[in-house]
């Protein structure tokens, strides 16, 4: 059972999206990748998590396992990242660009203004889009 490893992974990363390969994807970058260790054991856990989700979707997961996973907050249908998660990812990427000095002060000021406006409006239908900085 990968249950203890899953609890440990969640404690370290804050989510249950365990990678299944050692190659990092770029489709949905995670803000917590700095805390993740990509090794054979993590990939094995990722395959176990994938199997749990598949068995849940086909009603093959035991009620005890469903209860145990639900108790720790496991998401059986992770889907897309929430608005808050997307915002955290984008802010993390912007902060890393700022720290590497790949954004000018004017670009940082513009992005701060856009972010504050977006936050002020609080439009639920708006989503955080990737912001590509020019060098």
């Amino acid at each position: 059972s990968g249950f203890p490893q899953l609890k440990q992974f969640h404690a370290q990363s804050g989510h249950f999206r365990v990678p299944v390969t050692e190659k990092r994807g770029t489709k949905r970058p995670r803000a917590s990748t700095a805390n993740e260790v990509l090794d054979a054991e993590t990939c094995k856990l990722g395959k176990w998590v994938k199997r749990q989700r598949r068995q849940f979707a086909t009603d093959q997961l035991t009620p005890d396992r469903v209860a145990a996973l639900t108790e720790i907050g496991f998401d059986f249908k992770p889907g897309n990242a929430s608005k808050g998660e997307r915002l955290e990812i984008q802010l993390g990427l912007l902060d890393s660009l700022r720290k590497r000095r790949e954004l000018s002060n004017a670009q940082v000021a513009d992005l701060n203004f856009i972010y504050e406006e977006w936050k002020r409006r609080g439009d639920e239908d708006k989503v955080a889009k990737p912001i590509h900085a020019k060098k």
Side-chain angles (χ1 to χ4, degrees), residues 8-134:
Q8 181 181 0
F9 179 87
H10 181 257
Q12 290 175 341
S13 67
H15 61 79
F16 294 104
R17 294 185 306 271
V18 187
V20 293
T21 65
E22 292 187 34
K23 182 180 176 188
R24 287 205 186 274
T26 58
K27 184 176 178 186
R28 282 179 51 194
R30 293 183 285 275
S32 64
T33 54
N35 299 329
E36 291 179 9
V37 177
L38 279 180
D39 59 9
E41 286 300 311
T42 303
C43 296
K44 186 177 175 183
L45 175 62
K47 291 173 185 172
W48 181 85
V49 167
K50 187 175 181 178
R51 191 169 45 255
Q52 303 310 300
R53 288 187 172 123
R54 186 177 59 245
Q55 288 177 348
F56 178 80
T58 57
D59 293 325
Q60 296 176 346
L61 203 57
T62 65
D64 291 343
R65 179 64 55 86
V66 172
L69 289 169
T70 302
E71 185 177 314
I72 64 168
F74 184 74
D75 187 3
F76 288 98
K77 298 177 184 177
N80 294 326
S82 69
K83 180 179 178 181
E85 288 173 325
R86 288 191 303 269
L87 181 59
E88 286 301 315
I89 291 167
Q90 296 304 318
L91 290 176
L93 293 172
L94 287 173
D95 197 44
S96 68
L97 287 173
R98 183 186 57 77
K99 285 178 182 174
R100 292 192 324 240
R101 301 190 186 273
E102 291 184 24
L103 294 176
S104 68
N105 289 338
Q107 288 172 316
V108 170
D110 288 345
L111 291 172
N112 285 338
F113 174 78
I114 292 168
Y115 168 70
E116 290 300 325
E117 278 296 303
W118 180 77
K119 194 168 76 170
R120 185 182 62 77
R121 290 183 188 159
D123 295 333
E124 287 300 318
D125 60 333
K126 300 234 186 256
V127 294
K129 302 273 188 204
I131 299 172
H132 301 286
K134 295 178 185 175

